[in-house]
Amino acid sequence: MSSLQTLIVIAIVIIIFVLIALLLWMNRKQLKELDAIDQKIATIKGMQLDRDITRLDKMDLAGESLTTLNTWKKSFQDAMTNKIPQVEKLVTEAGKDSASYRLFKARKSIRQAQDIILPTFEDAKNTKDVFSELLESNRENQVQYDALLKTYRSQRKMVLADSFDYGTALDQIEDDLAEMESDFEEAKNLSSQGDHVEAKRVLSKIKIALANLDEQLPKIKAAHHQLETVFQDQLRELADAYRKMLSEKYSITEVNFLNEIKGIHDDIDASRSLLSELKVQALNEKNKKIATKIDALYGILTKEYKARPFVEKNREKVFTAINRQQIASQQLVEKLRHIDESYELTHGELDKSKRLTKEITNMGHQFTIDTQNIADGKGVYSEIENSWIAMMERLRKIAEEEQEMSQNVDGLYDSESVAIDSVKQFKQEVSLVYRRLKRRHLPGSPESFIQMYTLVVNEIKKVSQELDQVRINMEKISTELIQISDDVERLKREADDIINSANLVELTMTYSNKFADNDAVKKAQQAATQMYQVDFNYKEALDTIATAIEKVEPGSYQRLENAYYSELSTK
């Protein structure tokens, strides 16, 4: 036998073994599935639903309970007479086919049996639950009936004992209790007739009603107490306090107090209606709003009571403060008028002081009105307290403003003296600069210096004239003096530059003579002489001759300049 034939034989043998193993596995799996179906059938039969039906039939059920029993009895009977026998037949056929290894045929029967038994098994479990509930419903209903009746009687007894505490809600509570009593009678009749399902529904209704009533009763009692005791006492207290305050010359204008109390009584009537209808949530919200209104009225009275001691204690203090500041303001106005004759008040001090004086006068008028209203019993103490506190704070700020204005104008006299001295000083400094240049005997002065000198002299002259005016603007003069000070310093520096440049020209010209045979130096000497003698341009003359000798002898001018300034610093 060739190698190929050997391989083919081996492959065939392997395939045969695989097929046999597969058939054995499928057979074993089908046997397990058949066994599972048998187990479900046995479980259904073990539920003893027929026994439950017999017991239920003896209970003489009626109504919803009887309808439920008949529905599920029919489902059970259909399962026992049709579905389970059909499944058992399919199982028997599948078992024979599986034993004969007609596996695909057996598989089909198993699938059919499973499709029937699985929903049948679920229906059987549900049927068992329903039958168990029906069997227990009578006993459970009786236990629940007794417990609910006990709770009902306890609540009714409590309501009767505390009937006064429920106010207008009592009628509705008794109606609810009467309805529950009717429900108890209905549940009893249904149970006696065998309709335990419907009886259970009625008992559930009673249970909910009792729970609601149990939750509402404390809230109703509290709300009634609040309406008829707490609020009434508070409103009487508020009305009495208000009348007493009027007799003690308090005045309340923030609200119409008695109308507010009347409105709250109307709100209480509305709450009573909610109470009679047992609308507990709406009632609580309404009562909260009433409590807020009452608290607001207490707040108004308390505010006035607290404000009166402050007003009585600070009356003289406010009066004194107004008068004192009024005198100080009038004195400042007179002072500013006098100063305004000699000085220009550039920041509107006089007008501002007049406005402040008028403001203080208005405060005095308001204070007079407040005190008269207090005497007439028309004064609202809280408003007066707020007004006087604001007055005192405003008087403090006015005092600070007026003190600052007074100090500022007091400085005008000193500023004038300083300005006069400054003008004298500037005149002396300019004169010294002028004489210093004259003593140097230069051929002339540069045009820029002459212009600067003329500018400074004119500025000083202008300020002198302004200081001679009847009314002096010291702010303007101070600004001009600062500018003059800067210009005088510039003039000094300009004069120094002229003198130093002229001196250095002369030194450098003398030194340049050692290079007399140099044509460039000769030309520079001629040009520098022209600039010095004719143009009076000493800086340009210095640059010209210095540049020339530096080209011939580098560093020579720097030595001359250093020596000059070194000698100058020692003088």
Side-chain angles (χ1 to χ4, degrees):
M1 183 181 293
S2 66
S3 299
L4 179 61
Q5 291 174 333
T6 302
L7 290 173
I8 292 172
V9 170
I10 293 172
I12 292 171
V13 171
I14 291 173
I15 291 170
I16 291 171
F17 274 115
V18 169
L19 290 173
I20 293 171
L22 180 62
L23 290 172
L24 290 173
W25 176 79
M26 290 178 63
N27 181 262
R28 191 178 300 111
K29 182 174 181 292
Q30 289 178 353
L31 289 175
K32 288 181 179 180
E33 290 175 338
L34 291 170
D35 185 58
I37 294 171
D38 287 336
Q39 287 289 339
K40 282 185 167 50
I41 294 172
T43 301
I44 292 172
K45 293 179 178 180
M47 291 180 182
Q48 298 182 335
L49 294 173
D50 52 349
R51 187 186 68 179
D52 291 342
I53 291 171
T54 301
R55 291 172 61 191
L56 289 168
D57 286 338
K58 292 179 180 180
M59 290 175 62
D60 296 326
L61 298 177
E64 185 66 27
S65 299
L66 181 60
T67 302
T68 302
L69 172 62
N70 290 335
T71 300
W72 290 99
K73 182 196 293 186
K74 184 178 180 181
S75 174
F76 169 69
Q77 289 171 346
D78 181 55
M80 296 304 294
T81 57
N82 295 318
K83 294 180 180 178
I84 289 178
Q86 186 180 355
V87 170
E88 288 176 335
K89 181 181 178 182
L90 290 169
V91 168
T92 300
E93 293 174 355
K96 291 178 182 180
D97 291 335
S98 180
S100 301
Y101 285 95
R102 293 191 291 271
L103 300 179
F104 289 102
K105 186 176 180 181
R107 180 65 184 163
K108 181 178 179 182
S109 297
I110 291 171
R111 287 298 182 200
Q112 290 176 348
Q114 287 175 333
D115 290 342
I116 297 171
I117 196 61
L118 290 177
T120 301
F121 181 74
E122 291 300 319
D123 287 344
K125 287 197 299 181
N126 292 333
T127 303
K128 183 64 176 179
D129 292 339
V130 170
F131 287 176
S132 296
E133 184 178 353
L134 287 172
L135 289 168
E136 292 293 325
S137 61
N138 185 37
R139 186 184 66 80
E140 290 178 355
N141 285 352
Q142 187 60 47
V143 171
Q144 187 178 30
Y145 180 91
D146 293 341
L148 292 175
L149 185 61
K150 182 179 179 181
T151 302
Y152 166 78
R153 287 172 177 170
S154 175
Q155 285 189 350
R156 186 171 184 82
K157 181 180 179 181
M158 181 178 65
V159 169
L160 291 173
D162 300 334
S163 59
F164 182 75
D165 295 335
Y166 299 105
T168 56
L170 182 61
D171 290 342
Q172 185 61 49
I173 293 172
E174 289 182 341
D175 289 345
D176 291 348
L177 289 170
E179 184 179 347
M180 279 187 265
E181 189 170 354
S182 177
D183 289 339
F184 274 113
E185 187 66 27
E186 183 183 1
K188 183 178 180 181
N189 292 335
L190 289 169
S191 294
S192 64
Q193 294 169 9
D195 193 352
H196 303 294
V197 173
E198 186 63 19
K200 184 174 183 179
R201 184 192 66 77
V202 176
L203 289 173
S204 296
K205 176 186 173 185
I206 295 171
K207 182 179 180 181
I208 293 171
L210 285 171
N212 289 338
L213 188 61
D214 184 62
E215 180 184 359
Q216 288 181 336
L217 286 177
K219 297 178 180 178
I220 292 169
K221 187 182 291 187
H224 174 259
H225 174 73
Q226 194 174 27
L227 286 172
E228 305 305 333
T229 303
V230 176
F231 289 162
Q232 300 300 330
D233 290 345
Q234 289 176 332
L235 291 175
R236 279 192 294 271
E237 184 179 42
L238 285 168
D240 292 343
Y242 174 71
R243 293 187 183 96
K244 182 180 179 182
M245 289 176 70
L246 290 182
S247 67
E248 294 175 353
K249 293 190 175 182
Y250 283 88
S251 178
I252 296 173
T253 59
E254 185 175 342
V255 296
N256 188 318
F257 209 82
L258 295 180
N259 280 352
E260 287 293 315
I261 291 177
K262 182 179 180 299
I264 292 173
H265 278 297
D266 293 338
D267 291 337
I268 290 173
D269 289 339
S271 284
R272 289 191 182 110
S273 297
L274 295 173
L275 181 66
S276 65
E277 298 170 7
L278 299 189
K279 295 180 179 179
V280 177
Q281 183 176 352
L283 173 63
N284 287 336
E285 292 175 358
K286 185 71 174 177
N287 282 6
K288 286 180 181 178
K289 292 179 180 179
I290 293 172
T292 300
K293 290 182 178 180
I294 290 175
D295 289 342
L297 294 182
Y298 271 112
I300 292 171
L301 295 185
T302 302
K303 182 170 60 177
E304 299 306 318
Y305 271 121
K306 289 183 177 179
R308 184 167 185 167
F310 171 88
V311 172
E312 292 174 346
K313 179 181 178 181
N314 290 278
R315 183 184 301 183
E316 289 300 322
K317 180 179 178 181
V318 175
F319 176 75
T320 301
I322 292 173
N323 283 344
R324 183 172 59 246
Q325 195 58 46
Q326 195 167 30
I327 293 171
S329 295
Q330 290 171 350
Q331 290 174 345
L332 178 61
V333 170
E334 292 302 318
K335 177 180 179 178
L336 292 174
R337 281 175 178 164
H338 177 70
I339 293 174
D340 190 52
E341 295 175 356
S342 302
Y343 299 95
E344 291 184 21
L345 300 177
T346 55
H347 297 286
E349 289 88 348
L350 182 56
D351 289 339
K352 183 177 181 181
S353 66
K354 289 178 180 179
R355 288 196 302 271
L356 293 177
T357 300
K358 184 177 180 181
E359 184 178 352
I360 297 168
T361 300
N362 291 337
M363 289 183 194
H365 291 327
Q366 184 60 50
F367 178 82
T368 301
I369 293 171
D370 290 341
T371 53
Q372 186 60 51
N373 284 338
I374 292 170
D376 296 340
K378 298 178 181 178
V380 181
Y381 286 101
S382 61
E383 294 178 1
I384 294 173
E385 178 185 14
N386 293 335
S387 175
W388 287 5
I389 289 173
M391 279 185 190
M392 295 297 287
E393 177 61 20
R394 183 56 185 149
L395 287 170
R396 184 186 65 79
K397 290 184 178 179
I398 288 174
E400 291 177 355
E401 291 179 42
E402 291 184 339
Q403 183 179 7
E404 183 179 359
M405 278 194 292
S406 180
Q407 290 174 348
N408 289 340
V409 296
D410 286 343
L412 291 174
Y413 297 108
D414 294 336
S415 297
E416 182 182 7
S417 298
V418 171
I420 292 172
D421 292 340
S422 297
V423 169
K424 291 179 180 178
Q425 178 67 27
F426 292 149
K427 287 180 178 179
Q428 291 175 0
E429 291 178 2
V430 171
S431 178
L432 288 173
V433 170
Y434 181 78
R435 288 199 299 270
R436 185 180 170 204
L437 281 176
K438 285 296 182 181
R439 287 197 300 269
R440 182 61 180 77
H441 300 297
L442 293 173
S445 298
E447 184 62 29
S448 60
F449 176 81
I450 294 172
Q451 291 176 355
M452 187 67 192
Y453 174 81
T454 303
L455 173 66
V456 173
V457 170
N458 289 336
E459 285 177 339
I460 295 172
K461 181 179 178 181
K462 181 184 175 186
V463 172
S464 296
Q465 291 173 346
E466 290 174 350
L467 286 169
D468 289 335
Q469 297 294 318
V470 176
R471 293 178 72 243
I472 302 173
N473 186 334
M474 281 309 305
E475 184 174 357
K476 179 182 178 184
I477 289 173
S478 296
T479 302
E480 291 173 344
L481 287 174
I482 292 171
Q483 183 61 50
I484 292 172
S485 177
D486 292 340
D487 292 343
V488 168
E489 291 302 317
R490 286 174 55 199
L491 187 66
K492 289 179 181 179
R493 290 194 297 272
E494 184 72 17
D496 289 341
D497 288 344
I498 292 172
I499 293 171
N500 291 329
S501 296
N503 292 339
L504 284 169
V505 167
E506 293 174 358
L507 287 172
T508 308
M509 288 286 282
T510 301
Y511 186 81
S512 67
N513 288 331
K514 64 185 293 186
F515 309 112
D517 55 348
N518 187 294
D519 291 338
V521 173
K522 285 181 180 180
K523 289 180 180 180
Q525 286 176 336
Q526 292 172 358
T529 301
Q530 171 69 23
M531 294 173 187
Y532 186 96
Q533 295 290 343
V534 179
D535 300 332
F536 315 135
N537 193 341
Y538 306 107
K539 293 180 183 178
E540 188 66 25
L542 178 60
D543 289 342
T544 300
I545 191 62
T547 302
I549 67 170
E550 276 292 313
K551 289 181 179 179
V552 177
E553 185 182 344
S556 57
Y557 172 72
Q558 191 63 51
R559 289 195 303 273
L560 290 172
E561 186 181 50
N562 291 340
Y564 170 78
Y565 282 111
S566 177
E567 183 180 355
L568 189 65
S569 64
T570 59
K571 292 182 179 180

